[in-house]
Amino acid sequence: MPRLTVEGTPTVDVAEGTRLVLAIEKDAGVDILHACGGNARCTTCRVEFIEGEPERMTVAERTRLTERGLSGVRLSCQIVCDRDMTVRALSRLAGSGR
């Protein structure tokens, strides 16, 4: 079972195969912003990896990050928890006006 640490929160166990955005929200209890339903359209679910970044990237994630000129971040809606990960959630619901 992969372990997930979101910076500033306790480490939690996550069911293998869970989308990272959902693990951050439901398992770690972090109010990560995500608006497009996991389709790599809005880029609001951005995270920075501290440890355990997957090498593979979906075509949708690569395309959207390139279009927006974003580097050093990943889209948590496009990542499956299949290893231990430590991340920093960049977009939070609190303070977003949503």
Side-chain angles (χ1 to χ4, degrees), residues 14-88:
V14 177
E16 186 153 347
T18 302
R19 293 260 179 163
L20 179 57
V21 68
L22 297 177
I24 291 170
E25 181 180 53
K26 295 180 179 177
D27 297 314
V30 173
D31 64 336
I32 188 166
L33 189 60
H34 57 102
C36 74
N39 295 302
R41 289 191 189 123
C42 65
T43 72
T44 58
C45 67
R46 290 183 304 263
V47 296
E48 288 179 343
F49 270 86
I50 298 166
E51 290 182 22
E53 181 174 355
E55 292 179 20
R56 298 187 73 193
M57 187 180 287
T58 66
V59 171
E61 181 182 16
R62 185 179 316 282
T63 299
R64 189 64 63 218
L65 292 174
T66 300
E67 286 173 353
R68 302 259 173 121
L70 298 170
S71 62
V73 298
R74 299 287 303 267
L75 301 181
S76 62
C77 72
Q78 296 297 297
I79 297 169
V80 173
C81 294
D82 62 357
R83 69 190 73 218
D84 292 352
M85 299 176 178
T86 302
V87 300
R88 178 178 298 122

